[in-house]
Amino acid sequence: MRRKIIIDTDPGQDDAVAILLALASDELELLGITCVAGNVPLSLTAKNARIVCELANRPEIRVFAGCNAPIKRKLVTAEHVHGKTGLDGITLPDPAMPLQDQHAVDFLIETLMREPSGTVTLCPIGPLTNIATAMQRAPEIISRIEQIVLMGGAYFEVGNITPTAEFNIYVDPEAAKIVFDSGAPLVVMPLDVTHKALTTRARVETFRAMPGKVGPAVASWTDFFERFDKEKYGSEGAPLHDPCTIAYLIKPELFSGREINVEIETGSELTLGMTVADWWRVTKRPANALFIGDIDAEGFFALLAERIARL
Ligand code: RIB
Ligand code: CA
């Protein structure tokens, strides 16, 4: 039985790799891709998601545009990381496949109300605006969500957009608070684990050497995408943040973490968007998330290479 998922995304090169991994994996049935403003504005994330589907020769995938700004704040984007297009690194043709007319939030609600309860997993890999808006508009969907496996937050690794906040949470902290307080089963892939999923020259060359267009595109994207992290962290390569969520669905044994309480800072301008993870359980606050701290990086890249080569 294939696992039904919806990817909510703001492509972004690492989002693109996550989408490709899902499309290459028969364990998963991708019901749709919902796009949100984040790395770049919504018009570009909705375009980029279709570019990725066509690169994988899957023009039948349904792509929906969602919220074009955070719930109550001005949009902050990350062209400094992903480039002006959001998919800098290689020029790919504009998409021919259509965007669905239905709003992404309506698609999320309709799908969760239609599919049997507990059979749809959400994989948010951008700001949580679409997910939170759906929960606010139709709270009855919360108990019907099988699991939310999201990329976002940081604890030991601290922030990548401010000293204390990770980008996806920082862009829409009110949305993140709604999702983290919702009671839906959460698996969180913070920078603590994604910064251990670093590309290396050898790994990138493995993608570049693959036959066809997909592997070389992944190599070109990571060549571009890794500049930011190499400059800032002096790391050898780029953290493939978003694919960690999809890899978890396919091979959860590659990851380890703790069921702990995670709260979102929405009041302080200084620490806005911080995921306050009670890793040492010093409070009595109830656990609301499986907070992932470690990854078998070799196993992760072996899975990624094996799957991408299928496309
Ligand atoms: O902080 C990393 C996250 O922000 C990733 O999802 C990346 O795509 C950007 O959205
Ligand atoms: Ca993303």
Side-chain angles (χ1 to χ4, degrees):
M1 178 69 172
R2 296 170 68 197
R3 182 161 182 179
K4 291 180 225 165
I5 69 168
I6 295 171
I7 296 179
D8 189 73
T9 176
D10 62 336
Q13 290 87 351
D14 61 319
D15 303 67
V17 180
I19 293 167
L20 292 171
L21 177 57
L23 291 175
S25 301
D26 301 335
E27 299 89 334
L28 306 175
E29 180 187 356
L30 184 52
L31 299 181
I33 296 177
T34 51
C35 301
V36 67
N39 286 320
V40 286
L42 178 68
S43 57
L44 284 176
T45 60
K47 174 181 172 189
N48 292 343
R50 287 177 286 152
I51 286 175
V52 177
C53 288
E54 289 188 344
L55 174 68
N57 203 17
R58 297 291 301 280
E60 83 290 352
I61 297 290
R62 295 193 297 162
V63 177
F64 301 81
C67 301
N68 64 6
I71 286 181
K72 67 171 249 197
R73 293 176 188 274
K74 233 170 79 50
L75 177 63
V76 170
T77 53
E79 284 88 351
H80 61 292
V81 179
H82 299 274
K84 209 171 43 55
T85 70
L87 279 186
D88 282 28
I90 179 173
T91 305
L92 291 168
D94 282 357
M97 65 188 274
L99 198 55
Q100 299 299 310
D101 295 338
Q102 189 178 28
H103 191 284
V105 170
D106 295 328
F107 169 71
L108 284 162
I109 294 168
E110 182 190 273
T111 305
L112 284 163
M113 294 312 289
R114 181 191 67 243
E115 296 294 328
S117 182
T119 65
V120 177
T121 288
L122 306 182
C123 299
I125 52 177
L128 290 162
T129 316
N130 287 341
I131 310 300
T133 304
M135 288 180 168
Q136 277 189 312
R137 196 179 300 169
E140 61 276 16
I141 64 172
I142 295 171
S143 64
R144 301 178 65 86
I145 298 167
E146 179 178 27
Q147 200 170 45
I148 297 178
V149 184
L150 68 88
M151 191 278 141
Y155 184 57
F156 295 101
E157 197 64 13
V158 294
N160 62 356
I161 183 90
T162 73
T164 56
E166 177 278 327
F167 180 78
N168 287 343
I169 309 297
Y170 178 73
V171 169
D172 199 340
E174 283 71 25
K177 181 165 178 50
I178 288 165
V179 173
F180 277 70
D181 290 354
S182 70
L186 284 187
V187 178
V188 178
M189 293 285 165
L191 298 179
D192 302 48
V193 62
T194 69
H195 278 191
K196 295 173 184 170
L198 290 175
T199 57
T200 62
R201 281 296 90 214
R203 289 166 176 165
V204 173
E205 292 318 313
T206 306
F207 289 115
R208 205 182 318 278
M210 288 179 184
K213 297 177 298 179
V214 180
V218 170
S220 304
W221 281 328
T222 46
D223 285 345
F224 182 87
F225 174 67
E226 68 186 19
R227 294 155 24 274
F228 172 77
D229 289 84
K230 283 169 83 165
E231 236 156 77
K232 175 172 178 179
Y233 296 103
S235 51
E236 185 197 346
L240 280 185
H241 307 285
D242 295 337
C244 289
T245 59
I246 306 301
Y248 177 82
L249 294 175
I250 300 165
K251 279 187 92 170
E253 62 273 23
L254 291 173
F255 299 88
S256 66
R258 282 186 189 178
E259 284 285 351
I260 56 170
N261 176 270
V262 181
E263 303 285 337
I264 310 295
E265 177 60 67
T266 56
S268 150
E269 282 307 307
L270 178 64
T271 57
L272 185 70
M274 181 175 185
T275 46
V276 181
D278 188 3
W279 183 263
W280 304 111
R281 298 190 178 99
V282 298
T283 75
K284 295 268 171 291
R285 294 195 290 256
N288 59 338
L290 174 60
F291 198 79
I292 302 293
D294 214 350
I295 182 173
D296 164 1
E298 281 303 317
F300 169 72
F301 276 92
L303 172 68
L304 196 53
E306 187 265 322
R307 294 298 163 99
I308 297 293
R310 293 184 184 183
L311 295 171

